[in-house]
Amino acid sequence: MKNSKKILGIFIVSLVVVTGGVLGLVYQKRLNLNLSNNPISSFFARLTKPVVIQNNTVTVVDEESAVISAVTKVSPAVVSVVTQSTSFDPFSGQQSSGTQGIGTGFIVRSDGVILTNKHVVADPNVAYTVVLKDKTSYPVKKVFLDPSNDLAIIKIDATNLPTVELGDSSKLKVGQGVIAIGNALGRFDNTVTKGVVSALGRGITAGSGNPFDQTTENLADVIQTDASMNPGNSGGPLVNLSGQVIGIDSAVSGGAQGIGFALPINSAKPVISSFEATGRIVRPYMGVVYELVTPDLTTFTRLPVGALVRSAVAGSPAEKAGIKPGDVILSISGEKIDENTTLVNAILKHQVGETVPVVIDRSGAKLTLQVTLVEIPAK
């Protein structure tokens, strides 16, 4: 008797489930409903898909498809920067030559204009070669270095090359998905890694990675990401899920994993524009040697936050305007100088020949001086 009741109960439950399903399908068909547009179904679907923020528009995307699409779009324009290397075999006593990968770049103009890091191509005594994804190689004809940032333009003789699309790094959000493409370790070209924007507006001191080269460079307002980077990635593109370049991979943290840094692409746009207009990189120049006074230092120095002038270069716009050692530059054209906006970055927002108001603190008194920027002198 108990088994009969149990079987009857299972039969009734099954009948209810099947009947409910059939009625649901009939109801959906009769009302011409689309479950994918159902608010509840749509809500749960959105929970499993990431969001891309572009031009103040929120778009839900399938992450895997978006990554594949972005890589397919960008990678043909990503190049490896290599140089000739010579090795000695102690057993045979013979020398052999070959190429050694040292960095990455990406094509910004179809006639062979390529953007990369300054530290990738900074040696004037080295002959550089660019290798495309299809293994076609071109000798680098000319190198143009940005004197105020870790950026460079290299030129090859080619036409009809694939190019990247530049995005807007000012619209980046922490947590946004990004992709790094580069010549990892100088051996594995077009390596793809993905991660998120970990932080924005970082300030770092970066070295070249060469143990014999002890020079360093202060980089401000950089993008921090956990997209894996390795030596050789330098100069490669950091890409959003729409396939737009939003950064230039520039540095990795030697003391940690999963921490990489990229220069925002907006800082490179004036470099590209300058090159297109003049055939070289033109940057504005004020002419001061300074040290940043942070909020922590104000406690001990009693100085305001800003750029403490150590010296004004003789004959420079700063000296001509009356800036002296000991002055603290507080702002340029109303933009405050602090950890988020360095003096260099503030100057780079202006043009050569432009006269800008500079507010300084001199022994507690505020003064406004007019400084006319000139082109940065060639070294």
Side-chain angles (χ1 to χ4, degrees), residues 22-339:
V22 172
L23 289 175
L25 289 174
V26 171
Y27 180 70
Q28 176 194 349
K29 185 175 182 181
R30 182 169 296 177
L31 295 181
N32 195 26
L33 293 175
N34 184 348
L35 289 180
S36 63
N37 292 329
N38 184 285
I40 297 177
S41 301
S42 178
F43 171 75
F44 284 106
R46 284 171 178 266
L47 292 180
T48 63
K49 295 182 179 181
V51 169
V52 173
I53 301 175
Q54 180 182 343
N55 297 328
N56 296 321
T57 300
V58 178
T59 306
V60 180
V61 299
D62 181 283
E63 183 176 13
E64 188 174 72
S65 298
V67 170
I68 293 171
S69 176
V71 171
T72 302
K73 177 181 178 181
V74 176
S75 60
V78 178
V79 305
S80 296
V81 181
V82 303
T83 185
Q84 289 291 324
S85 62
T86 303
S87 60
F88 178 75
D89 186 343
F91 298 101
S92 65
Q94 296 180 340
Q95 287 185 335
S96 61
S97 62
T99 59
Q100 176 185 1
I102 56 172
T104 309
F106 51 92
I107 305 168
V108 295
R109 211 169 68 184
S110 61
D111 61 349
V113 176
I114 298 167
L115 189 66
T116 186
N117 283 141
K118 180 167 67 177
H119 72 261
V120 170
V121 290
D123 191 340
N125 301 313
V126 170
Y128 299 102
T129 300
V130 163
V131 182
L132 274 57
K133 186 180 180 182
D134 63 4
K135 305 306 179 185
T136 306
S137 63
Y138 296 90
V140 173
K141 295 297 184 180
K142 189 71 175 175
V143 175
F144 303 86
L145 304 179
D146 182 352
S148 56
N149 212 341
D150 188 21
L151 293 169
I153 284 178
I154 53 181
K155 183 71 174 68
I156 61 175
D157 286 341
T159 57
N160 299 320
L161 296 177
T163 60
V164 299
E165 178 186 354
L166 302 183
D168 185 353
S169 53
S170 70
K171 290 184 168 61
L172 283 176
K173 305 293 183 183
V174 174
Q176 182 175 337
V178 289
I179 307 158
I181 307 176
N183 186 12
L185 301 175
R187 297 168 54 200
F188 307 108
D189 60 309
N190 278 80
T191 295
V192 175
T193 57
K194 70 183 182 73
V196 298
V197 174
S198 304
L200 296 168
R202 295 295 198 203
I204 63 171
T205 300
S208 66
N210 185 339
F212 301 103
D213 180 7
Q214 299 301 313
T215 59
T216 60
E217 188 160 6
N218 293 319
L219 304 178
D221 194 30
V222 299
I223 304 162
Q224 181 184 331
T225 178
D226 67 345
S228 180
M229 296 182 192
N230 295 281
N233 273 94
S234 290
L238 189 68
V239 182
N240 63 20
L241 296 186
S242 296
Q244 298 172 320
V245 177
I246 46 82
I248 306 100
D249 302 333
S250 297
V252 295
S253 175
Q257 295 181 345
I259 300 180
F261 300 97
L263 294 170
I265 194 62
N266 285 10
S267 68
K269 289 179 180 178
V271 173
I272 300 170
S273 298
S274 171
F275 181 81
E276 289 178 337
T278 66
R280 56 197 177 94
I281 298 175
V282 177
R283 289 294 213 176
Y285 171 74
M286 178 181 287
V288 295
V289 177
Y290 73 96
E291 178 182 341
L292 183 64
V293 180
T294 64
D296 292 336
L297 290 176
T298 58
T299 305
F300 304 101
T301 62
R302 298 185 181 277
L303 294 172
V305 173
L308 173 62
V309 177
R310 294 299 185 187
S311 64
V313 178
S316 68
E319 185 192 52
K320 291 178 180 178
I323 294 177
K324 301 177 180 179
D327 291 343
V328 178
I329 299 175
L330 305 178
S331 68
I332 294 180
S333 293
E335 186 169 25
K336 292 182 179 179
I337 307 302
D338 54 25
E339 291 174 295

